Amino acid sequence: MKNYFLLLILSSLSLNAQYCVFFDFKAENPEMVVSTITKAMNTDWAKSIEGTKSLFAYLPNGTTASTHSLQFCFPNEEAFEKAFMSYGQSMDVQLLFDERLPEYSIDVSQSINTPVWYNGEDWAEDNVFMLYQMEVTNPSAYLKEFKSFSMKMAKKLGYEENSFGLAFPIVGKNADFSHFAWIGSPDIKTALSNSKKMLTDPLYANFSGKVSGIRKVVNTVMSVRVMDF
């Protein structure tokens, strides 16, 4: 557990953060996983972290084996370094993450992610996220089209104040995708309703046509906030 938890600490997706780690895992005993993570978040080490700490569930999880994602968010390099370097000084949190958590879960992937472009003041105001994992071959061209489409779609469907944007893993790149887009919503019903409207809108058809040669969607996931620490 030690090696991939050290990757986890590297960051997570807060719009006020420039580094975001997704620690994705399959929970074989969800109750014990939540209990173990909660204990770890109550240690002095976790309380001193300058950033957000959240647990998400993938409902459903698409083609990934992950059922949950523990995410740490840092506003800058200094905040991450402080958390990373102090981890080894906390025997309590090492015991919980390196020995206890693997008893109830299976590690799937870890990645350090950073936003390319985003809208919204704070992603923490949203509780449900639609994630679109993609392989993009021309990032600059895709970003141009994505930004234009996203702003128009958000205004049309009325979620201009929500968080949405484009990000990519800078460490721990997934073999299947290079970038992912997200759209935040306050709840599941809003996320599903807006997704249905978006996918059947002419704006989406036009956007898809423009990026069909440089983008391939490989997986879609609905990520639901379980708890913040």
Side-chain angles (χ1 to χ4, degrees):
M1 181 71 180
K2 182 178 294 183
N3 289 338
Y4 48 77
F5 182 69
L6 291 182
L7 281 175
L8 159 65
I9 304 177
L10 297 178
S11 47
S12 167
L13 228 183
S14 163
L15 294 189
N16 292 322
Q18 292 303 309
Y19 301 96
C20 304
V21 165
F22 293 172
F23 172 43
D24 289 357
F25 61 92
K26 179 180 180 181
E28 298 194 314
N29 188 328
E31 292 79 9
M32 290 305 299
V33 166
V34 172
S35 175
T36 302
I37 292 176
T38 300
K39 289 179 180 178
M41 293 301 100
N42 284 326
T43 62
D44 291 338
W45 171 80
K47 291 179 180 179
S48 69
I49 288 178
E50 298 174 19
T52 63
K53 307 173 287 287
S54 305
L55 177 65
F56 291 86
Y58 290 139
L59 304 170
N61 57 345
T63 58
T64 178
S66 307
T67 60
H68 293 76
S69 180
L70 179 59
Q71 302 177 9
F72 285 63
C73 301
F74 298 96
N76 51 49
E77 295 87 352
E78 289 77 13
F80 155 68
E81 182 178 39
K82 181 180 177 180
F84 178 80
M85 297 303 293
S86 63
Y87 175 72
Q89 300 172 14
S90 175
M91 297 303 296
D92 290 337
V93 76
Q94 288 186 68
L95 174 64
L96 290 166
F97 277 117
D98 297 345
E99 297 184 23
R100 291 293 303 279
L101 194 58
E103 296 178 9
Y104 315 118
S105 63
I106 298 174
D107 171 57
V108 175
S109 69
Q110 318 85 38
S111 60
I112 307 173
N113 304 277
T114 190
V116 179
W117 171 84
Y118 58 84
N119 175 81
E121 293 298 325
D122 189 355
W123 78 290
E125 296 298 317
D126 295 320
N127 295 311
V128 181
F129 298 86
M130 299 300 293
L131 304 178
Y132 303 88
Q133 299 167 346
M134 308 165 288
E135 185 65 35
V136 177
T137 58
N138 189 330
S140 59
Y142 181 78
L143 175 59
K144 178 181 178 181
E145 297 297 339
F146 174 81
K147 183 176 180 180
S148 175
F149 160 73
S150 296
M151 297 302 291
K152 293 177 182 177
M153 197 79 260
K155 183 176 182 179
K156 189 171 185 178
L157 296 185
Y159 59 86
E160 303 102 311
E161 301 303 317
N162 294 86
S163 64
F164 54 89
L166 182 68
F168 70 99
I170 57 176
V171 174
K173 179 186 180 300
N174 189 287
D176 295 323
F177 66 90
S178 62
H179 294 71
F180 64 90
W182 81 88
I183 301 176
S185 299
D187 48 49
I188 293 176
K189 62 182 180 181
T190 303
L192 291 176
S193 176
N194 282 344
S195 295
K196 182 178 181 180
K197 294 174 183 176
M198 180 188 74
L199 294 173
T200 57
D201 194 280
L203 282 175
Y204 180 77
N206 183 55
F207 165 69
S208 295
K210 290 182 178 180
V211 300
S212 61
I214 59 174
R215 178 209 66 175
K216 177 183 178 182
V217 178
V218 299
N219 192 30
T220 57
V221 172
M222 182 165 65
S223 180
V224 180
R225 190 186 302 275
V226 175
M227 59 196 309
D228 295 317
F229 303 99

